[in-house]
């Protein structure tokens, strides 16, 4: 289920599963310019990075963003037909990929207000459902998510910490979970291993963060 999938840095994820898909490209090492689709979860520099988007975009790339980012993209020169804007808890299709948006927000801090309408993504590729949580705490919306694979932030400060992330995963019970959002900007490189120890043994934890 994780073949062709990389966690590049922080919350930056690359899928090579038919289409080349990036989620929140950040600290991209070189110009790849191979993205078929780019998914952005929200408007923070470590998730919406124009410098890094430039390194993965190609002429026909489709970018999927919350509504508050459309104006920035148009000013940067994106064609309107290549932009898909989304709102939380709705269903969409891009390049034959069906996906849903899951509201992503803080419940006990102020960095990601619910009113900003920022999102995580739940998508199906080759019969496997993937949940990319975005920057979020445990919420009523994500406690209802059913997926085969779940990518969840574990670094704390701005999102769930590793204990809260394990609590969420133990409740929603994916087959596989991958910790993200640690090891650089926030959270030590040990957060993934701490998370692993708290996840129920029947759920497989894969540490994909590059050391």
């Amino acid at each position: 289920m994780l073949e062709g999938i990389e966690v590049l840095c922080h919350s930056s994820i690359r899928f090579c599963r038919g289409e080349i898909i990036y989620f929140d490209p950040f600290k991209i090492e070189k110009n790849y310019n191979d993205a078929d689709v780019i998914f952005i979860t929200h408007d923070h520099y470590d998730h919406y990075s124009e410098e890094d988007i430039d390194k993965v975009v190609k002429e026909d790339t489709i970018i999927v963003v919350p509504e508050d980012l459309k104006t920035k993209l148009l000013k940067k020169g994106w064609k309107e037909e290549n932009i898909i804007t989304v709102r939380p808890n709705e269903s969409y299709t891009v390049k034959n990929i069906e996906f849903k948006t899951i509201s992503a927000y803080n419940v006990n801090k102020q960095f990601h207000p619910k009113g900003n309408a920022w999102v995580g993504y739940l998508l199906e590729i080759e019969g496997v459902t993937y949940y990319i949580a975005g920057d979020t705490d445990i919420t009523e919306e994500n406690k209802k998510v059913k997926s085969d694979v779940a990518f969840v932030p574990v670094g704390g400060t701005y999102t769930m910490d590793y204990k809260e992330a394990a609590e969420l995963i133990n409740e929603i019970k994916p087959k596989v979970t991958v910790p993200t959002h640690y090891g650089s900007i926030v959270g030590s490189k040990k957060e993934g291993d701490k998370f692993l120890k708290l996840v129920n043994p029947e759920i497989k934890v894969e540490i994909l963060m590059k050391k």
Side-chain angles (χ1 to χ4, degrees), residues 62-112:
I62 302 296
I63 192 164
V64 180
V65 295
E67 289 182 340
D68 63 349
L69 279 168
K70 183 176 181 179
T71 299
K72 285 187 177 182
L73 289 170
L74 291 174
K75 285 181 178 178
K76 186 161 171 57
W78 278 78
K79 298 176 182 177
E80 189 158 6
E81 59 265 30
N82 288 355
I83 304 170
I84 296 177
T85 58
V86 296
R87 292 191 56 78
N89 311 310
E90 296 185 3
S91 298
Y92 302 87
T93 302
V94 57
K95 290 186 178 283
N96 297 316
I97 301 168
E98 295 183 0
F99 69 95
K100 297 179 181 178
T101 51
I102 309 296
S103 190
Y105 57 92
N106 291 140
V107 298
N108 55 11
K109 39 187 107 64
Q110 299 178 352
F111 303 106
H112 305 88

Side-chain angles (χ1 to χ4, degrees), residues 2 169 174-178 195 199-206:
L2 293 176
I169 289 302
K175 296 174 183 175
V176 180
T177 185
V178 181
F195 168 73
V199 172
N200 288 339
E202 63 267 23
I203 301 169
K204 187 174 184 180
V205 179
E206 291 282 1

Side-chain angles (χ1 to χ4, degrees), residues 32-157:
Y32 292 96
N33 302 115
D34 59 353
D36 294 302
V37 186
I38 301 170
F39 287 89
I40 302 295
T41 60
H42 66 288
D43 183 12
H44 280 162
Y45 78 95
D46 52 333
H47 297 266
Y48 174 72
S49 167
E50 293 184 349
E51 175 186 355
D52 292 292
I53 289 171
D54 286 346
K55 291 179 180 178
V56 302
V57 71
K58 59 180 182 174
E59 186 174 349
D60 62 346
T61 300
I62 302 296
I63 192 164
V64 180
V65 295
E67 289 182 340
D68 63 349
L69 279 168
K70 183 176 181 179
T71 299
K72 285 187 177 182
L73 289 170
L74 291 174
K75 285 181 178 178
K76 186 161 171 57
W78 278 78
K79 298 176 182 177
E80 189 158 6
E81 59 265 30
N82 288 355
I83 304 170
I84 296 177
T85 58
V86 296
R87 292 191 56 78
N89 311 310
E90 296 185 3
S91 298
Y92 302 87
T93 302
V94 57
K95 290 186 178 283
N96 297 316
I97 301 168
E98 295 183 0
F99 69 95
K100 297 179 181 178
T101 51
I102 309 296
S103 190
Y105 57 92
N106 291 140
V107 298
N108 55 11
K109 39 187 107 64
Q110 299 178 352
F111 303 106
H112 305 88
K114 187 174 184 179
N116 285 5
W118 291 339
V119 298
Y121 294 100
L122 182 68
L123 63 160
E124 183 175 338
I125 299 175
E126 298 176 353
V128 180
T129 53
Y130 297 90
Y131 173 46
I132 291 83
D135 278 11
T136 188
D137 289 323
I138 298 174
T139 68
E140 291 305 312
E141 291 89 347
N142 62 28
K143 287 194 293 186
K144 297 174 184 175
V145 168
K146 298 300 178 188
S147 67
D148 297 306
V149 182
F151 294 79
V152 291
V154 303
T157 304

Side-chain angles (χ1 to χ4, degrees), residues 156-168:
T157 304
Y158 308 107
T159 69
M160 295 181 280
D161 62 19
Y162 70 92
K163 295 177 183 178
E164 294 164 323
E167 179 184 340
L168 175 64

Side-chain angles (χ1 to χ4, degrees), residues 171-190:
E171 180 164 350
I172 67 176
K173 297 180 175 65
K175 296 174 183 175
V176 180
T177 185
V178 181
T180 64
H181 208 274
Y182 71 98
S184 56
I185 292 173
V186 67
S188 76
K189 293 185 177 181
K190 297 179 180 178

